[in-house]
Amino acid sequence: MKYLKPLNLFRELLKSNEIKKSRLLGLDVGDKYVGLAVSDVKNKIASPLSVLPRKKTNIHLMAGDFESLISELNLTGFVVGYPFDRQKSSPGAVQVKLFIDDLCKTGKFEELKYTFWDECFTSKNVDFLLKPLNLHPVLSKTIIDKFAAVGILQV
């Protein structure tokens, strides 16, 4: 995988979309789960997709899931939520970088590009909206992870 600054990723996407319709995948990387959202073919609207369980031992399974999504949805890149903190490096930031490093080490995504986008308050915003619904905690967590990925991708 190749890192690009956000503006450069979107410029490349615009160029590639003139030839073929390609999409982006939004990732909200957490301790236990990775929330996924996908853009439409015009890259204007993000929709929740799914949640993948995350463990250190299942990175190759996750890589396989990503490979399937890349071919099924014609994905050209990932927009990865990153907790930017100007004061210090947070544990969440380290966790996101390690996840991306592990995906890169699988060697399955050489052509794929990715960028980081500030995920500040994405999960909190969704949680705030879901509170009045009194959902079961497991269902609530799944919805939060997917819609946090939408928030990351939609900006």
Side-chain angles (χ1 to χ4, degrees):
M1 288 195 326
K2 179 183 176 190
Y3 173 77
L4 294 176
K5 291 182 178 180
L7 187 58
N8 293 338
L9 177 67
F10 295 118
R11 282 183 181 151
E12 281 203 16
L13 183 65
L14 288 173
K15 287 178 194 173
S16 73
N17 269 356
E18 292 172 4
I19 301 165
K20 60 179 180 162
K21 300 295 182 195
S22 55
R23 301 170 166 201
L24 293 171
L25 189 71
L27 282 73
D28 178 42
V29 180
D31 289 332
K32 297 178 184 176
Y33 300 99
V34 178
L36 304 176
V38 66
S39 70
D40 66 337
V41 292
K42 293 183 179 180
N43 292 294
K44 297 199 182 253
I45 300 171
S47 301
L49 187 62
S50 66
V51 175
L52 298 177
R54 178 176 179 234
K55 296 177 186 169
K56 290 186 180 199
T57 58
N58 75 344
I59 193 69
H60 289 286
L61 291 173
M62 290 183 81
D65 290 339
F66 285 130
E67 280 182 310
S68 296
L69 290 171
I70 289 166
S71 64
E72 287 173 30
L73 301 172
N74 196 27
L75 300 173
T76 57
F78 291 168
V79 178
V80 184
Y82 189 82
F84 288 102
D85 185 352
R86 299 187 192 283
Q87 303 300 322
K88 60 183 184 272
S89 181
S90 70
V94 172
Q95 163 181 281
V96 170
K97 291 248 183 177
L98 288 173
F99 177 75
I100 294 299
D101 288 347
D102 289 344
L103 271 183
C104 289
K105 287 177 189 172
T106 65
K108 297 180 179 185
F109 308 107
E110 298 300 319
E111 298 299 316
L112 193 73
K113 295 165 181 71
Y114 72 96
T115 194
F116 294 115
W117 195 260
D118 192 0
E119 69 166 9
C120 212
F121 302 112
T122 53
S123 295
K124 292 286 183 197
N125 289 340
V126 177
D127 187 37
F128 179 74
L129 293 172
L130 292 179
K131 279 270 195 247
L133 300 177
N134 294 320
L135 298 173
H136 188 276
V138 174
L139 177 60
S140 179
K141 179 66 176 140
T142 301
I143 292 171
I144 288 170
D145 289 338
K146 285 193 279 190
F147 277 89
V150 168
I152 291 162
L153 190 53
Q154 190 67 47
V155 186

